[in-house]
Amino acid sequence: MQEKKSFEDIRTVDGVHYNTFKETGRALGLLHDDEMWDLVMKDAAYEKLPKQMRTLFVMLVSEVGLLDVKRLYDKYKDALSEDFQHQLLPPNNVNQDLIHWMLLIDIQDRLEVLGKPELFQEIGFVTDYMRVTVSATKKRVTILSMP
């Protein structure tokens, strides 16, 4: 084995340079895939409890060190956001962008509460426009549902 003299050297395996230490660890066979966590999310989706599922997802992101957070998010985003659809009034309850934004904001806020906002980068992004739109929609729902 060739002596490693820099961080660049450490991220090189068999002549292939990897951009992150996570990718390097995977190439060395030191990291396992997310199959077990995928099964956990699948089981949670079966129970139809999206709020609790979001809690589980954020715990996995913040504590487990998932290898492919975005893939797991994309696979389960509909199950994670199912309750948001029921919180909205027509026609917003079929607006998939709005529902997706509500989910992203919820996950970002939860990671910030845990003091790990940097982990959200692997999932997506939230703009001010997204936050304002979601907030305005929630206010309309609250006003319209008052007796």
Side-chain angles (χ1 to χ4, degrees), residues 65-143:
L66 298 170
L67 296 177
D68 194 347
V69 174
K70 181 71 169 145
R71 186 193 68 74
L72 205 61
Y73 171 83
D74 286 341
K75 185 171 182 178
Y76 293 102
K77 67 183 173 187
D78 290 340
L80 287 162
S81 62
E82 188 176 314
D83 59 330
F84 292 140
Q85 182 177 354
H86 302 294
Q87 292 173 16
L88 299 174
L89 299 173
N92 290 324
N93 64 338
V94 293
N95 182 336
Q96 292 304 308
D97 286 340
L98 183 62
I99 292 166
H100 180 73
W101 295 350
M102 292 172 76
L103 175 60
L104 287 170
I105 290 167
D106 184 77
I107 291 171
Q108 184 182 48
D109 290 348
R110 289 170 184 251
L111 287 168
E112 285 178 3
V113 165
L114 292 175
K116 299 181 178 185
E118 70 282 357
L119 297 176
F120 184 73
Q121 301 173 57
E122 296 183 50
I123 299 166
F125 63 92
V126 172
T127 65
D128 289 340
Y129 176 77
M130 292 161 74
R131 279 195 181 275
V132 168
T133 303
V134 166
S135 178
T137 303
K138 285 182 176 181
K139 284 179 185 171
R140 276 196 304 275
V141 168
T142 302
I143 291 169

Side-chain angles (χ1 to χ4, degrees), residues 4-68:
K4 307 288 183 176
K5 296 180 181 178
S6 69
F7 289 113
E8 297 290 321
D9 291 344
I10 293 172
R11 293 194 323 256
T12 303
V13 177
D14 296 328
V16 177
H17 177 73
Y18 295 93
N19 292 325
T20 66
F21 290 110
K22 188 185 286 187
E23 291 172 350
T24 306
R26 190 177 305 152
L28 289 168
L30 301 174
L31 300 175
H32 303 285
D33 63 21
D34 293 332
E35 181 181 353
M36 180 172 65
W37 306 119
D38 188 1
L39 292 173
V40 167
M41 291 294 291
K42 183 178 180 179
D43 188 49
Y46 178 76
E47 295 296 327
K48 299 276 188 194
L49 299 168
K51 186 175 182 180
Q52 290 81 354
M53 193 174 174
R54 287 192 299 275
T55 300
L56 171 64
F57 179 75
V58 168
M59 190 264 319
L60 292 175
V61 170
S62 65
E63 302 301 329
V64 171
L66 298 170
L67 296 177
D68 194 347

